[in-house]
Amino acid sequence: MTPDVRPHEKLDRAVIFLGPPGAGKGTQAKELARRFSVPHLSTGDMLREHVAQGTSLGQRAQPIMARGDLVSDSIVLRMVADRIERPDCARGFVFDGFPRTVAQAQWLGALLRQHGFKPPLVIHMVIDPGLLLRRITGRRMCKVGGEIYNIYERPPKVAGHCDNDGGELEQRADDREEIVGPRLAAYEKQTAPLAAYYRRLGRLRDIDASKSVDEVAKLIVEVVSAARQP
Ligand code: AP5
């Protein structure tokens, strides 16, 4: 992957990954967060953790996620507000899967201003829709550390186990082929309009997400570094 960050490099802002299911947001957001030593905030991962732990929030979210719809703002916004107040977010953070509606984006803009952050940088993952089904149905995630694999594109060294910690790999409940259509429809209707919203604000940067993982990572680092120039 990309070379390690130099010690003086700081992110100092929120970076948002925007793109359809399977575009590679999680793969790239984790890598960028690691590079700048800031938290990777995936609302999907947070919700899946609540579901796995059987919390009341998880019980409300589970049927909604299982059919590929968006979870309500009342659930998601509280979760995000609590998370970015933690001290580890003070030097910036990387959002993956949030915001997902214009209302969420407006709410986030106000929250970032309130916490004294610069306006966010939005990485728009642009991809040929024909690639998405294979990426989604081929995805497997480590039960222990959440590392993302793909049985077609990025297989682990030992089938069914994570290269990092040996954890068992599992398929997400919403990655079944019959749920992919509803998820893509929810994206087109509720989330795709965010691209125009952030483009108008001058915050959007288009990235060709059809390329290899390493090529996409390199493009993202270039865009983020350029945005950090004075
Ligand atoms: P969430 O977990 O956010 O899922 P998503 O947006 O549907 O995105 P995915 O995780 O499916 O894809 P990705 O773009 O991260 O791709 P990845 O890097 O894994 O949300 C799940 C659900 O939670 C939602 O449906 C909703 O119900 C709820 N939710 C979450 N946030 C919400 C919010 N803010 N508001 C309301 N509801 C919310 O890559 C995919 C695969 O491709 C992997 O196998 C990977 O190895 C492979 N891959 C990645 N990049 C490449 C590449 N360049 N070349 C080849 N293969 C690649």
Side-chain angles (χ1 to χ4, degrees), residues 10-121:
K10 290 200 184 99
L11 194 61
D12 249 1
R13 68 171 74 227
V15 174
I16 293 169
F17 277 80
L18 175 65
K25 303 182 296 297
T27 302
Q28 298 295 341
K30 272 179 207 271
E31 174 61 17
L32 190 72
R34 188 198 63 78
R35 186 182 162 94
F36 285 99
S37 301
V38 295
H40 162 234
L41 308 184
S42 158
T43 42
D45 285 351
M46 293 179 204
L47 288 165
R48 280 185 288 277
E49 199 161 327
H50 276 282
V51 171
Q53 289 174 355
T55 65
S56 65
L57 189 157
Q59 285 170 19
R60 277 186 287 152
Q62 189 275 335
I64 304 170
M65 295 170 78
R67 59 176 187 263
D69 287 339
L70 294 192
V71 172
S72 70
D73 286 355
S74 62
I75 293 181
V76 174
L77 301 185
R78 183 73 263 157
M79 229 171 47
V80 170
D82 288 347
R83 183 63 187 87
I84 75 166
E85 270 166 20
R86 291 201 214 153
D88 63 344
C89 286
R91 293 189 309 112
F93 41 90
V94 179
F95 272 127
D96 160 15
F98 182 87
R100 249 177 156 96
T101 62
V102 171
Q104 289 184 2
Q106 289 167 336
W107 175 89
L108 176 66
L111 191 74
L112 293 176
R113 280 193 295 279
Q114 190 187 319
H115 285 267
F117 282 104
K118 293 178 193 163
L121 179 69

Side-chain angles (χ1 to χ4, degrees), residues 22 25-27 43 69 100 139 149-150 172 183 211:
K25 303 182 296 297
T27 302
T43 42
D69 287 339
R100 249 177 156 96
R139 172 170 39 205
Y149 295 88
N150 191 288
R172 267 169 48 180
R183 286 171 62 196
K211 294 176 183 283

Side-chain angles (χ1 to χ4, degrees), residues 2 28 213-223:
T2 48
Q28 298 295 341
V213 170
D214 288 356
E215 286 171 306
V216 176
K218 191 163 173 282
L219 293 172
I220 291 170
V221 166
E222 284 167 11
V223 159

Side-chain angles (χ1 to χ4, degrees), residues 90-217:
R91 293 189 309 112
F93 41 90
V94 179
F95 272 127
D96 160 15
F98 182 87
R100 249 177 156 96
T101 62
V102 171
Q104 289 184 2
Q106 289 167 336
W107 175 89
L108 176 66
L111 191 74
L112 293 176
R113 280 193 295 279
Q114 190 187 319
H115 285 267
F117 282 104
K118 293 178 193 163
L121 179 69
V122 183
I123 306 290
H124 183 213
M125 304 283 276
V126 180
I127 184 164
D128 171 359
L131 294 173
L132 295 177
L133 185 63
R134 186 177 160 94
R135 286 198 185 180
I136 295 172
T137 56
R139 172 170 39 205
R140 300 291 183 272
M141 287 179 76
C142 174
K143 277 184 172 181
V144 179
E147 189 67 24
I148 304 169
Y149 295 88
N150 191 288
I151 54 172
Y152 309 117
E153 309 278 353
R154 304 187 81 202
K157 292 188 182 107
V158 176
H161 291 277
C162 179
D163 296 348
N164 299 341
D165 52 29
E168 195 186 330
L169 303 187
E170 64 179 354
Q171 186 173 33
R172 267 169 48 180
D174 59 350
D175 278 352
R176 284 172 293 121
E177 198 166 338
E178 62 273 26
I179 313 297
V180 174
R183 286 171 62 196
L184 292 173
Y187 177 80
E188 281 309 318
K189 190 166 171 219
Q190 292 164 279
T191 308
L194 272 182
Y197 173 83
Y198 280 122
R199 203 183 298 282
R200 265 198 308 277
L201 294 177
R203 305 312 314 155
L204 198 81
R205 303 290 183 275
D206 291 323
I207 292 287
D208 180 357
S210 307
K211 294 176 183 283
S212 74
V213 170
D214 288 356
E215 286 171 306
V216 176

